[in-house]
Each structure stands twice: as C-alpha cells, then as structure tokens.
Amino acid sequence: MLLGFLAPDTGRVRLDGLAPRAFVEREGVGYLSELVAIPREWRLVDALRRYAVLDGVPEAELAPAVEAAIARLGLEEHRGKKIKQLSKGNAQRVALAQALLRPHRLVVLDEPTHGLDPVWTQRFRALVHELRDPGRAILIASHNLDELERVADRVAILDHGRVQRIVDVRAGAGAPTAGRWRVVVADGAAALAAHWPDAREVGSATWELDVADLPTFNRTLGAAIAAGLVVRQVGPAESGLERQFREAVGGVAP
Amino acid sequence: MSTARLGRYVAWQTLDFLRERGLAIALILSALTLAAGMIGAEGPEAGFSGAAGLVRLSRFTLSLVTSISLLFLVVGFNGLCSADRTQGFARFYFAKPVDPSAFYGLKWLVHAVGLGAIVLAWTGTLAAVYGPYDAAATLVAFGLRLMLYGGLFFLLSVLLSAEVAAFSGLYLGGELAKLLADDRAWARTAVTWAFPWHRLTELDALLEKGAALPLDAVLHVTGTGLGALVLGLVLLRRRRLVT
C-alpha cells in the first residue's frame, strides 16, 4: 500500500502529502520486497543497470553506482552470473542492492534478512546504520524481533491488520527490569539453587529464575557468587520487545 | 524526467523483445518461406521467379500473413503486462519513479515496431532474393492485424493473467456470432460492433484483388485496437500492479 501497489479497503495513505503512486513516481522508494522477483535470465550486473536506469541514475553516474552497489553487497564474484544461478541469499543481496542504488527519502525493506547467512545478517545491520539519516525514513517489516531490536528506533507491532502497540526501542522502553531471567552457570550451580529455591534448570547449565527488581536481583546474585557460583552469561529470558509483542498479541508466556 | 528514463530503458526493452520473441518469430517466418521456396523450386509453375513468380510471391506473402500472423502476434504480445504482475517483477519496476502506463505503453510500442520490422525485413529479403514485387497488400494486412490484435492483447493483459485463453474465447464468440447473425439480431449487433474480425475478412478479400479499402472498415479495425490500447493504458493507473 505504501508504494501504491494495492489500495486500502478503508482510509487513505499519504506520503509527504501525496498519494503513494504520485510520491513513488515523483522520487522513487528504496524497496526490497519479501518475494524477490527478478527475471531469472538477467545477468546480475545488467539487472542492476536496468534498475539504475529506471531509478533515474544519470548515465554518467550509472556505472559507478552499479559498481558501488555490487561492492557494498559483496557481489563482485557473481556480477556476470544470471539471476537463476544465484543462491537464495545472493539473490536477496541483489534485491537489496537494487533498493540502495540511489539515496531515497523512503526505504521500505520487507523481511530483509530472509535467506541471508549470519555474516550478511550482521552486515545488514551495518548497512542500516549507514542508511540512517535525519532526512530518511527506513521502514523494516520483519518477524525477527531480535533483528528489529538491534536496528530499529521504534517498532510497531501489528496483529490482525492493526497496529497493536508502538515500542520505542531507543528509549529502552522495552528493556525488562523484572520477570524471568536466565543464568548460564559455569560452576557452582548449588550456590545458585541455594539462593533461588524456585530456580529451574531449563537446559545444559542454564537456569531460569524470577526477578522482582534489579537491585534485589544484583544483591542476591552477588551473594551467590560469593558462595561459589561462577556465571558465564546472564540476561532476561525474553527480550523486552518479545515481551511487548507477546502482550500486544495476547500470546502465552514461554 | 520519467520520459527520459524510459527513453533510456527502451534499449533494454528492445533487447528483451529480440531475445525472447523476435528471433523466434523471424526464424519461424524464414523457415516457412524457405519451405515454400523449396516446394516452389520443384517446378517453374510454382516458383517465385519471373514476372508470374513475383505475382505468386505477392499472393504467398499475403496469404501467409492473413493465415498465421495471429500466431506471431500472440507470441509477440502475450504476457506484456500480466507476466510482470503474476511473476512479481512489477514490484521492483514500480518502486522506481516510473509511470506504469508509460512503461507498458512504450513496451507495447517496442513490440509493435519490432514485429513490424520483422515483417518488413522479411518482405525486403524476399524482394532482394526474387526481385521487386508488390508487398504493399501484405504489409497493410499485417498492419491491420498488428493494431487490432495488439491492442486487444494489451487490454486483456492489463485485466487478466490468461489473455490467450480470454482472447480465444472472444475470437470463438465472434465466430459464433457470425454464424448466428442471419437469424438473430443480437448476433448481428455483436458482429457489427463487438467483434471486428469479419471486417478483416472483408479487407483481406479486397487486398487480394488489389482494390481500394473502405475507410469505415479500416477505421473499425484500427479503432477497436487503438481503443483497447488506450483503455488498457488508462486501466493500468487504476488496477493493482501486483498480485
């Protein structure tokens, strides 16, 4: 709907005061769709040239823009390949490259890390960081809450087609200070059990316990460490965003 | 701005047309002509050489165009918009600052000019091989079909994803109406206004005789195609661009 591909059943969409198609046809949008559809017979470099032409990249800047996009997404070794020869992850990177051929005021990325390997998932975060600009809105649609918590400023939780809640991740509004926490024990689990009689072992050397507030939790943890507990890792059992999501959509606690 | 961008994109659209459709059409047309030439070579009565042969060549190209050019037009225009919509290619095209009507209007023009150029090159090659002959009727017959079927295919491609099936239904409907036209008024009306293929038959007969073409029949055929094309371009602004 933001790009005017579909019309809303009710209400209206406006971008900078314009109907979506008028906005898109005026300045374009950096768009990555969930379904990556690029003609399979096109060569990677030609695909980016075509999209750059349509995106209005001037002829003189076309080759540098395409080469920059290829380098930015690490596609140098695949540049001569046809789209059908690329893996899902590489095709996803081509799709991301075409969205970033030219700076846009609006960038819409639908499930951007879908199909990316861990290295490129991490690189994607850096890309989003590079794209951050006061004059640019970046909208990411994702089911990956961990990813969103790392890259987004605000997260709108949608359920049944409606915004259920908007979480301000920057303000730390989602960071839990109480609830269920998880402690990974390196040694001295008996000391942990002694200080938290209700603690449950949920995996190999991983314990879950209920935290009422952070000061009490820190004091008790300190006492347990003094009694011989060696901690490898400690943190909330679910992220603040996960908790907010569960609350917003009425899900059951893990 | 959009026009300039699309002007640059025409080169890619032309390349796509040649690779995906144009070469195949040119090859089939060449093969058919070669086959006819070889059959003709079996005896002087059937060949294309000499003054009588050039008359036969003129009739041969006209009959080939009137009988099978619909097949070339199906290959040339099928899926013009619907393929991008159903396969999802439209998503990236129209996230760019591109007007869909201009994009597909230009694509239609590339395909129409490409098909016309293939037929022109074909008649030109035959003239170079056998000598100058009258190809005007052939080119006019093809031009009429290009406008009529090209326009209808475009409209169907905007509206549906199975335009060949829809076109076949329309075509058969037109033929059925023609059969019933003597007895039923609605069929007469349908034949007169909705399905102008019968006008093509009239025009083909006149072209074969070398007679002048009535303007109303030419306008009926080309007007229907042009009207369908314009309607398709307008509907592109209103129809959803992706499925």
Side-chain angles (χ1 to χ4, degrees), chain A residues 46 73 77 117 126 193 207 211:
Chain A
D46 290 339
L73 273 301
E77 62 179 303
D117 63 32
W207 294 69
V211 171

Side-chain angles (χ1 to χ4, degrees), chain A residues 3-7 21-22 24-33 35-42 46 49-60 62 95 98-99 101-102 104, chain B residues 1-2 4-17 19-20 84-101 103 236-243:
Chain A
L3 283 92
F5 293 161
L6 309 170
R21 280 311 309 162
V24 174
E25 286 169 27
R26 187 182 71 183
E27 55 186 274
V29 171
Y31 175 59
L32 169 68
S33 57
L35 167 76
V36 172
I38 302 172
R40 289 165 49 79
E41 291 299 321
W42 288 7
D46 290 339
R49 281 181 191 145
R50 286 170 183 250
Y51 291 128
V53 168
L54 291 176
D55 216 356
V57 176
E59 192 60 39
L62 193 128
Q98 67 78 35
L101 279 163
R102 188 170 74 79
H104 289 286
Chain B
M1 274 300 287
S2 180
R5 268 193 298 277
L6 288 175
R8 288 166 60 202
Y9 197 71
V10 162
W12 291 108
Q13 288 180 321
T14 307
L15 196 65
D16 288 341
F17 170 77
R19 276 185 191 157
E20 295 164 11
D84 289 344
R85 198 170 56 237
T86 54
Q87 295 181 63
F89 304 145
R91 290 169 195 271
F92 290 162
Y93 294 151
F94 302 121
K96 314 298 180 205
V98 170
D99 173 349
S101 297
F103 181 86
L236 266 173
R237 305 283 314 163
R238 298 170 184 276
R239 200 192 186 290
R240 55 195 291 175
L241 290 170
V242 299
T243 52

Side-chain angles (χ1 to χ4, degrees), chain B residues 8-205:
Chain B
R8 288 166 60 202
Y9 197 71
V10 162
W12 291 108
Q13 288 180 321
T14 307
L15 196 65
D16 288 341
F17 170 77
L18 289 174
R19 276 185 191 157
E20 295 164 11
R21 306 165 195 245
L23 286 177
I25 292 169
L27 281 175
I28 294 169
L29 202 52
S30 306
L32 287 171
T33 310
L34 200 61
M38 285 167 74
I39 292 165
E42 288 172 7
E45 290 303 311
F48 296 144
S49 303
L54 290 179
V55 174
R56 274 195 295 276
L57 179 60
S58 187
R59 284 192 193 135
F60 164 72
T61 55
L62 179 61
S63 68
L64 199 65
V65 159
T66 54
S67 58
I68 64 160
S69 64
L70 180 55
L71 174 72
F72 298 145
L73 293 167
V74 169
V75 175
F77 286 113
N78 183 37
L80 212 66
C81 312
S82 60
D84 289 344
R85 198 170 56 237
T86 54
Q87 295 181 63
F89 304 145
R91 290 169 195 271
F92 290 162
Y93 294 151
F94 302 121
K96 314 298 180 205
V98 170
D99 173 349
S101 297
F103 181 86
Y104 286 118
L106 208 56
K107 192 175 178 185
W108 185 89
L109 199 62
V110 165
H111 285 227
V113 170
L115 287 163
I118 289 169
V119 172
L120 200 61
W122 171 61
T123 52
T125 307
L126 289 174
V129 173
Y130 295 107
Y133 74 103
D134 185 7
T138 302
L139 294 174
V140 169
F142 186 75
L144 290 170
R145 282 164 171 75
L146 188 70
M147 279 309 299
L148 175 62
Y149 297 133
L152 287 173
F153 262 103
F154 185 79
L155 176 60
L156 291 172
S157 193
V158 170
L159 295 173
L160 309 159
S161 38
E163 59 257 49
V164 176
F167 178 79
S168 304
L170 269 181
Y171 193 86
L172 292 175
E175 292 298 302
L176 185 66
K178 209 158 73 176
L179 283 176
L180 299 172
D182 288 340
D183 299 330
R184 306 208 172 146
W186 67 263
R188 267 196 302 283
T189 310
V191 166
T192 307
W193 298 107
F195 308 108
W197 348 121
H198 68 287
R199 306 303 304 260
L200 274 181
T201 317
E202 288 170 33
L203 292 170
D204 289 345

